[in-house]
Amino acid sequence: MKTICLYFEIHQIIHLKRYRFFDIGTDHYYYDDYENEHTITDTAERSYMPALETLLQMIRENGKYFKVAFSLSGVGIEQLEMYAPQVIEKLQELNETGCVEFIAEPYSHGLSSLVNEESFAADVKKQMAKIKEYFGQTPKVLRNSSLIYNDDIGAQAARMGFKGMLTEGAKHVLGWKSPHYIYHCAMAPNLKLLLRDVKLSDDISLRFNNSDWEGYPLFADNYVDEIASHPEESQIINIFMELSALGIAQPLSSNILDFLHAIPACAKQRGITFSTPSEICMKMKSVGALDVPDTLSWTDEERDVSSWLGNPMQREAFNKLYSVADRVRIANDKRINQDWDYLQASNNFRFMTTKPSNVGVDRGIYSSPFDAFTNYMNILGDFINRVNSLYPEDIDNDELNALLTTIKNQGDEIAMKEKEIVRLQTKIEKIEAASDKLRAQLDKPKKAVAKKAASTEKKTAEKKVTEKKAATKK
């Protein structure tokens, strides 16, 4: 029986402002707040809210039959917190149905997995904490930025405890193999791989409203018929895309949500189910290892990382940024960490691309790739100066790490001693309370004896007075 795994990504670009060379050292705020607010509120209104409401209706109408998965970048969540909290509330409403899974991805939506294992692990763990905070779920499946994957990244994901990972069903990797089966990482057999069906996903996210496309217009029953036509032994159909495809890339006027809404009923008629990524990883066995020595992604025709690192400008910016990765992580300064998250975002490097692409690149404020590179490098120059100013530059990373470890250990020791002092004070208070109680118990018989003696003495005195009066009368 075939099952559909439907997954949506929610990420929001953090727009940088125009930052000139002469701003370095004087201006440490790098962001275009107006553009960020405008973009997220517009996307929430035109895409996120209507799309999430449709998915919620689909769950309510189909019960536990229909299921869906999401991942949210940490920087995307921050934008939603500030400008569109209603989206988070709608996601929480979806979460309460029990038919939604939230999966892990890098907080920054960055490229750290390609260069720094420690930074990548910290990035993912930070996002997982945010997911736990809002939705009470601990992700078991990982989705890297833009589905970036290779054997080494898979091995790291397995070491981090993930059961599965999403990636691209790229033809140059699969060869004759089908994306409709579970595979496992060549370097970590316990990590299962779910591969995106490129055609079926892009039919919705890229081509749905294209009247020149041979498949136009696309109807739900035809779409599900294509899924059903795959060989009987096919296990899974992974349909992965950005949530903004519903409403932004494909406008609501194209009836994209009506199409989506009709899919579960059509699938049920053909005996096709829906599953979340973790359910698939738990229930299905791998049919074999997938060797991915070279990095792949879901971007552009090449399905590689050339969109971000394909020219010298991009590689220079990338290497410059991650040259301070260890220092940023070791220093762990709150403001530096926030800027680090925003500057890592992959779109900063995407704006610098010079390669042709079937998917247009909106460069925002930038007039050219070189303009994007210049602006980013100006900001990066100021950022790196701030990182280096936290501690003397002549202290290398190992010395800094040792210094901060010593400070942390001293802090931990002081905290432990403070806890011990509180514990001892509490113990003393308990002993004193017990002592007072025991003293009161011991004093009680003494008081009773004294009271009885006083009473007896009083009675004796009264008796003598009575006897004396009687003798006097005689």
Side-chain angles (χ1 to χ4, degrees), residues 447-462:
K447 289 180 179 178
V449 170
K451 186 177 180 180
K452 185 176 182 180
S455 176
T456 302
E457 186 177 347
K458 182 179 179 181
K459 289 179 180 178
T460 302
E462 289 175 347

Side-chain angles (χ1 to χ4, degrees), residues 12-275:
Q12 194 62 37
I13 290 175
I14 303 295
H15 294 275
L16 302 178
K17 69 181 182 182
R18 180 63 67 181
Y19 193 92
R20 305 190 184 282
F21 176 80
F22 298 104
D23 294 326
I24 297 174
T26 61
D27 182 2
H28 305 316
Y29 192 78
Y30 313 133
Y31 314 107
D32 186 338
D33 291 334
Y34 173 81
E35 187 60 31
N36 286 326
E37 181 177 3
H38 169 73
T39 301
I40 188 64
T41 53
D42 181 64
T43 304
E45 180 181 350
R46 293 169 53 200
S47 172
Y48 293 164
M49 289 305 291
L52 293 175
E53 183 59 38
T54 297
L55 290 167
L56 183 59
Q57 291 175 6
M58 293 162 69
I59 291 174
R60 287 172 174 167
E61 292 171 5
N62 294 279
K64 299 296 181 180
Y65 168 74
F66 177 72
K67 298 173 184 177
V68 64
F70 296 95
S71 74
L72 292 80
S73 70
V75 296
I77 293 176
E78 289 185 20
Q79 293 293 290
L80 294 174
E81 288 173 333
M82 288 189 286
Y83 304 123
Q86 69 273 20
V87 175
I88 295 178
E89 292 171 2
K90 184 60 67 174
L91 285 165
Q92 289 173 326
E93 192 176 351
L94 276 157
N95 182 50
E96 291 170 0
T97 66
C99 298
V100 174
E101 178 178 359
F102 291 91
I103 62 180
E105 74 160 69
Y107 190 96
S108 67
H109 200 269
L111 306 173
S112 58
S113 61
L114 302 175
V115 68
N116 193 296
E117 185 171 321
E118 291 79 9
S119 292
F120 178 60
D123 212 6
V124 172
K125 289 177 182 177
K126 186 175 179 180
Q127 185 264 4
M128 291 174 65
K130 205 75 169 175
I131 294 298
K132 181 71 174 178
E133 175 188 348
Y134 275 115
F135 308 110
Q137 294 192 24
T138 300
K140 303 178 181 65
V141 177
L142 173 64
R143 179 260 189 202
N144 199 4
S145 308
S146 300
L147 297 188
I148 290 174
Y149 176 83
N150 60 34
D151 292 334
D152 291 328
I153 294 173
Q156 183 179 353
R159 290 193 295 271
M160 293 171 66
F162 290 107
K163 304 302 181 186
M165 192 165 177
L166 311 186
T167 189
E168 180 76 340
K171 291 181 180 179
H172 70 275
V173 172
L174 283 171
W176 57 269
K177 297 176 182 177
S178 167
H180 302 146
Y181 297 90
I182 287 284
Y183 298 92
H184 64 261
C185 174
M187 296 175 61
N190 291 333
L191 183 81
K192 294 181 178 178
L193 302 176
L194 283 71
L195 310 183
R196 186 177 85 114
D197 186 304
V198 176
K199 180 186 181 302
L200 289 171
S201 299
D202 289 351
D203 281 351
I204 299 176
S205 62
L206 298 182
R207 292 183 282 269
F208 185 81
N209 193 46
N210 183 3
S211 58
D212 294 329
W213 171 45
E214 61 182 10
Y216 180 88
L218 181 62
F219 296 103
D221 54 351
N222 295 335
Y223 186 78
V224 176
D225 282 342
E226 183 174 354
I227 293 174
S229 69
H230 287 290
E232 188 65 31
E233 59 272 17
S234 296
Q235 297 174 322
I236 53 175
I237 310 295
N238 296 312
I239 302 172
F240 304 160
M241 69 192 75
E242 297 175 350
L243 186 62
S244 60
L246 309 178
I248 303 297
Q250 307 303 321
L252 298 182
S253 59
S254 68
N255 296 318
I256 183 73
L257 295 184
D258 293 330
F259 164 83
L260 182 70
H261 186 271
I263 288 178
C266 296
K268 188 179 293 186
Q269 290 175 358
R270 293 156 180 78
I272 300 171
T273 63
F274 287 83
S275 301

Side-chain angles (χ1 to χ4, degrees), residues 427-444:
K427 188 174 182 179
I428 291 171
E429 290 173 359
K430 288 182 179 179
I431 292 172
E432 289 178 345
S435 177
D436 292 341
K437 186 177 181 181
L438 180 61
R439 190 178 295 110
Q441 290 175 343
L442 292 174
D443 289 344
K444 192 174 181 180

